[in-house]
Amino acid sequence: MTVIVRSPAWAPCHGCGAFRRRRRCQPSRTSAGLLDLFRGGSEAQTLPEEPQGTALLRWLEGRGLPPQKLAAVAVPGAGRGLAATQPISKGEALLRIPQQLVITPAAAAQQSSLAPLLESTPLPAWSVLALWLAEARAAGPAGEWWPYIQLLPDHTGSVLEWSEDEVGWLAGSQLAEAAAEIRGAAAASWQEMQPLLAQAAAAGLGPPGAFSREALQSAFSMLLSRLVRLPSLGLGPPSAAAGQARQAQQAGAAGEPPGTEALLPWADLLNHSPASTAFLDWDPAEAAVVLRTDRRYWPGEEVHISYGQKTGGELLLSYGFTPKPADNPHDGCKLRLALRPGDPAAPAKAAALAAFGMGPSQLFPLRMAAAPFELVHYAALAAAEVGSEQEAGQLAQRLFGAGDIPPTLQQPALEAVVAACQAAMKAYPSSLEADRAELAKLEAADAAEAAAAAGQRQSGGSDAGQQRRQRRHQVLQVLVYERQVLARTAFVLQQELKDLRRMAGR
Ligand SMILES: C[S@@+](CC[C@H](N)C(=O)[O-])C[C@H]1O[C@@H](n2cnc3c(N)ncnc32)[C@H](O)[C@@H]1O
């Protein structure tokens, strides 16, 4: 029996760790106020210490933050970051941010001038945090958290800040759906808080103008790029009844993951590396938020965390940056498969899929050299002729439980996925060649601009113009790579089909 899509060259997603590139680490000298960063081996870059970040550190230390092995630095193309000031070993606990410096939704609600209203009209966590951020910004230097607030960037580049026209660049990609979802969620949250804001205005609560649409939109964008989920915060000891109840409540009826979302001053200066597997979390033993490193660092090296195993497009929508695909082992795209609408067995198949956590229309992640085996197995269920719910359930069990495709379904399943890839490629409004050509032009223009900047010559474009061009560049990079992944997926599956047909012809 042929096992499809499980050859080493075509491994399931979790097998793509082979792409991970390790940076060579070398010790470097730290000179007064300057930190040397080694990127990609021997090429040294100087990362200047960042004064506002240092001021924040001092302020936090005055409020209980323990001594740090990290300094705030300016990172070209990424704003601020944190770099090691002393050798750091693999697995070491860094940061140790105590509870009083963690801005959870509960803390934000308590500190908000809208506290009495939030008690009677509870809002979702990210709305409460957005109100807190908007109020802290409006309070200015007089506000309690100003040393933190003042170093937040004016813009994050998240999709909440894009014009409609720029969002339109995503047409054809599944990212268009994701962008609409994010923008829709922000708009819905804004609507949801209107009754509370009307009450606040009537009672004269909060700084004037603090809760305008623009202020809240900017706060939502800031949260998209900075909010951290702490899976272990808010969970009691497993044996304690109260803790268990809270855990159950936090796991949520809606399938929300357990834990708490929070803003983390200082820790939120950490930038993302696609190669990193280090995460921030609450450590009950330390009673603090801790970063446990996944590698050793020499003084001067920027310390990275993982924002999650995200594609370049996902990072672009939430964080406003996209790594080069070659640097991101998690890059790829999503492909939608669905049950045929006219299929009389669709309800039975939908019930069978539901038992495995899948829907009648389902997105599957594709990587350049990997796809989940469920992709083809889903297509097999969609293509199968089944007469009853029981038969659909048995087939789903064989496909997703045992991971096996009946031989008669192998060919139609592969053909269906190839067709889906081809249809997905056709959905982009401009051709891959045209987008590649525009991308090459933008890359050349950016290289020329970088050279001009290195020679300290003034660059020509306006800020808004440059930002738009940079965004176009990022979007094109993502859209070109998505189609390369779709084309590669179709190609690999076509090879599998050829093999199948050859074997059938023997
Ligand atoms: C949590 S903040 C990290 C601190 C941020 N650099 C700053 O200056 O405040 C997330 C933001 O940092 C930037 N960022 C993080 N990792 C990056 C990376 N690898 N490349 C470029 N920008 C990055 C993006 O602007 C992102 O929205």
Side-chain angles (χ1 to χ4, degrees), residues 161-180:
E161 297 176 1
W162 297 18
S163 66
E164 288 295 340
D165 171 44
E166 289 168 338
V167 175
W169 292 341
L170 300 172
S173 164
Q174 287 296 337
L175 290 173
E177 256 179 52

Side-chain angles (χ1 to χ4, degrees), residues 90-439:
K90 184 175 174 181
E92 191 172 333
L94 295 179
L95 301 174
R96 294 196 169 84
I97 299 177
Q99 173 97 57
Q100 72 269 21
L101 300 178
V102 179
I103 303 159
T104 60
Q110 221 173 25
Q111 291 168 25
S112 170
S113 61
L114 310 184
L117 302 180
L118 286 168
E119 252 175 49
S120 52
T121 317
L123 288 176
W126 93 312
S127 296
V128 174
L129 286 163
L131 288 167
W132 180 91
L133 256 183
E135 183 172 356
R137 272 211 147 142
E144 186 193 341
W145 286 90
W146 185 244
Y148 170 54
I149 297 297
Q150 70 164 342
L151 61 62
L152 296 178
D154 291 336
H155 301 287
T156 72
S158 88
V159 73
L160 291 179
E161 297 176 1
W162 297 18
S163 66
E164 288 295 340
D165 171 44
E166 289 168 338
V167 175
W169 292 341
L170 300 172
S173 164
Q174 287 296 337
L175 290 173
E177 256 179 52
E181 219 170 276
I182 294 171
R183 288 163 70 92
S189 300
W190 166 251
Q191 283 307 325
E192 187 184 30
M193 56 175 69
Q194 289 317 297
L196 181 132
L197 290 183
Q199 280 179 281
L205 298 177
F211 306 119
S212 67
R213 175 84 207 239
E214 293 68 36
L216 264 306
Q217 186 76 353
S218 159
F220 285 137
S221 183
M222 197 59 62
L223 293 177
L224 255 188
S225 74
R226 298 188 100 80
L227 205 59
V228 178
R229 174 163 284 280
L230 301 169
S232 307
L233 183 58
L235 304 183
S239 56
Q244 279 174 352
R246 210 165 46 234
Q247 201 161 336
Q249 178 209 333
Q250 283 184 332
E256 273 284 296
T260 302
E261 286 176 327
L263 282 167
L264 291 171
W266 184 245
D268 68 359
L269 293 179
L270 286 161
N271 288 319
H272 168 81
S273 163
S276 176
T277 55
F279 295 92
L280 294 160
D281 197 7
W282 178 257
D283 184 333
E286 302 260 3
V289 171
V290 158
L291 167 64
R292 235 164 258 287
T293 55
D294 59 345
R295 46 161 285 203
R296 62 183 306 186
Y297 289 96
W298 297 104
E301 277 193 285
E302 187 185 358
V303 173
H304 288 106
I305 57 169
S306 170
Y307 294 175
Q309 298 188 349
K310 294 188 162 58
T311 64
E314 288 167 338
L315 288 168
L316 183 58
L317 297 190
S318 292
Y319 301 94
F321 75 93
T322 182
K324 291 226 169 302
D327 293 338
N328 183 5
H330 315 297
D331 211 349
C333 67
K334 295 224 166 82
L335 179 68
R336 187 175 286 288
L337 294 184
L339 299 178
R340 270 185 300 112
D343 183 353
K349 291 178 182 177
L353 285 168
F356 289 90
M358 286 179 272
S361 167
Q362 183 73 32
L363 282 176
F364 292 91
L366 304 182
R367 305 284 181 260
M368 189 56 94
F373 77 87
E374 288 91 345
L375 172 74
V376 180
H377 292 208
Y378 187 104
L381 185 74
E385 283 186 17
V386 294
S388 67
E389 201 161 306
Q390 191 193 15
E391 213 183 311
Q394 282 166 349
L395 178 57
Q397 176 57 39
R398 178 165 177 186
L399 291 166
F400 306 114
D404 177 37
I405 302 189
T408 52
L409 289 177
Q410 290 176 3
Q411 193 168 319
L414 288 171
E415 283 165 353
V417 180
V418 170
C421 289
Q422 288 166 343
M425 283 189 279
K426 282 205 186 110
Y428 294 79
S430 55
S431 70
L432 178 57
E433 291 66 33
D435 282 355
R436 260 188 175 150
E438 190 186 344
L439 180 60

